[in-house]
Amino acid sequence: MSEADRGIELLFLGTGTSAGVPMIGCHCEVCTSPDPRDRRSRPSVIISYDNKNVLVDTTPELRLQCVANNVDMIEAVVFTHAHADHIMGLDDVRRFNAIKGGPIDVWATERTHASLDRCFGYAFKEPDPAMKVFRPHLVKRNIEEPFDIAGVRWTPIPLLHGEMPVLGFRVGKLAYCTDVSRIPEESFELLKDLDVLVLDALQYKRHTTHFSVEEAIEAATRIGAKQTLFTHIAHALGHQATNKALPAGMRLAYDGERVSAKSE
Ligand SMILES: [Zn+2]
Ligand SMILES: [Zn+2]
Ligand SMILES: [Zn+2]
């Protein structure tokens, strides 16, 4: 592929809300659905280009997600925020350290790094060369402004998740915005002219820290990406029935789905 037409691909490792679907102890229609697209692990994606994979968030199901999707190597990890459903699989990254034979960069805001340090401080320590390492070997990278991974620009998109500031990311003509209940006015500027927008849409009912389907449709309509895929989906939304009711160009994503966009 030439420099001009190299694309950006996004793979959904997980599209479920923090409890996952099926949810423990729930036997509703969606939690017992035979449709594999109604089985949703916790929210994470791989963004790929030039045969390089970048992992966005590390869910409690990271190992199962990577095995299921043949993700054999990653270049770096990028975090949206430090809620448990987005970080608790970070220890599994040690497999990628072992395969690479070296450290892996972890990009996050200072606030997110402070939480990662509380749970996974050991993973950011320089390993003792005399000891065999059975833990991750991670390098802290602070997100303050747009940054590059493997030669491609990542633009952080400030979002609000309830009161909490979190980040979405734009890479080429693709943007991933999970865990959002409000998009600040300045951030709409960063979301212009997209091929693919991935946006939080939890359920029909309003929620304090996530877009409802109605709010997500409203934001997606204003952003006007060629296609919009919704993620962080709760058990109230059955895949097929919800998709039938969504406007053209918008749909629920499912675990294992891939979409691609131009690089700019
Ligand atoms: Zn979440
Ligand atoms: Zn249920
Ligand atoms: Zn969250």
Side-chain angles (χ1 to χ4, degrees), residues 16-18 43 81 83 85-86 161 178-179 210 232:
T17 188
S18 56
H81 67 304
H83 279 160
D85 51 327
H86 297 257
H161 180 25
T178 186
D179 293 66
H210 294 275
H232 215 291

Side-chain angles (χ1 to χ4, degrees), residues 23 26-28 30-31 235:
M23 208 164 51
C26 186
H27 304 281
C28 76
V30 176
C31 287
H235 71 150

Side-chain angles (χ1 to χ4, degrees), residues 224-247:
K226 285 189 187 135
Q227 42 174 340
T228 300
L229 291 98
F230 297 125
T231 191
H232 215 291
I233 309 158
H235 71 150
L237 303 181
H239 186 84
Q240 235 186 334
T242 308
N243 272 356
K244 272 193 201 138
L246 287 172

Side-chain angles (χ1 to χ4, degrees), residues 75-259:
E75 194 66 20
V77 184
V78 178
F79 280 104
T80 58
H81 67 304
H83 279 160
D85 51 327
H86 297 257
I87 69 167
M88 290 315 285
L90 183 57
D91 190 80
D92 285 334
V93 170
R94 68 194 174 130
R95 247 322 267 160
F96 296 118
N97 287 123
I99 293 166
K100 184 182 177 189
I104 288 176
D105 286 347
V106 173
W107 291 88
T109 60
E110 216 169 305
R111 178 189 176 128
T112 297
H113 270 306
S115 295
L116 294 176
D117 275 343
R118 277 199 298 280
C119 306
F120 300 104
Y122 63 92
F124 290 90
K125 295 209 170 86
E126 192 61 43
D128 177 348
M131 303 263 287
K132 213 166 165 16
V133 183
F134 298 105
R135 61 155 173 91
H137 179 191
L138 307 176
V139 178
K140 193 181 285 188
R141 302 280 181 201
N142 273 321
I143 299 175
E144 282 154 3
E145 46 193 29
F147 55 100
D148 291 353
I149 300 176
V152 171
R153 177 55 42 114
W154 283 61
T155 304
I157 315 282
L159 303 169
L160 283 165
H161 180 25
E163 298 290 306
M164 183 189 193
V166 305
L167 293 179
F169 296 99
R170 179 183 182 136
V171 185
K173 287 187 182 288
L174 180 148
Y176 180 65
C177 299
T178 186
D179 293 66
V180 50
S181 52
R182 194 163 76 78
I183 302 176
E185 209 43 48
E186 316 79 74
S187 293
F188 278 101
E189 289 299 307
L190 304 171
L191 295 167
K192 284 184 169 160
D193 191 24
L194 289 173
D195 287 346
V196 175
L197 168 68
V198 179
L199 192 61
D200 186 345
L202 184 73
Q203 57 192 20
Y204 286 113
K205 214 172 131 203
R206 295 271 170 140
H207 192 274
T208 51
T209 57
H210 294 275
F211 274 155
S212 64
V213 171
E214 190 188 341
E215 291 167 318
I217 291 172
E218 194 184 311
T221 303
R222 178 170 170 194
I223 291 163
K226 285 189 187 135
Q227 42 174 340
T228 300
L229 291 98
F230 297 125
T231 191
H232 215 291
I233 309 158
H235 71 150
L237 303 181
H239 186 84
Q240 235 186 334
T242 308
N243 272 356
K244 272 193 201 138
L246 287 172
M250 299 184 197
R251 63 182 193 272
L252 297 187
Y254 56 87
D255 289 23
E257 185 171 13
R258 291 170 197 266
V259 278

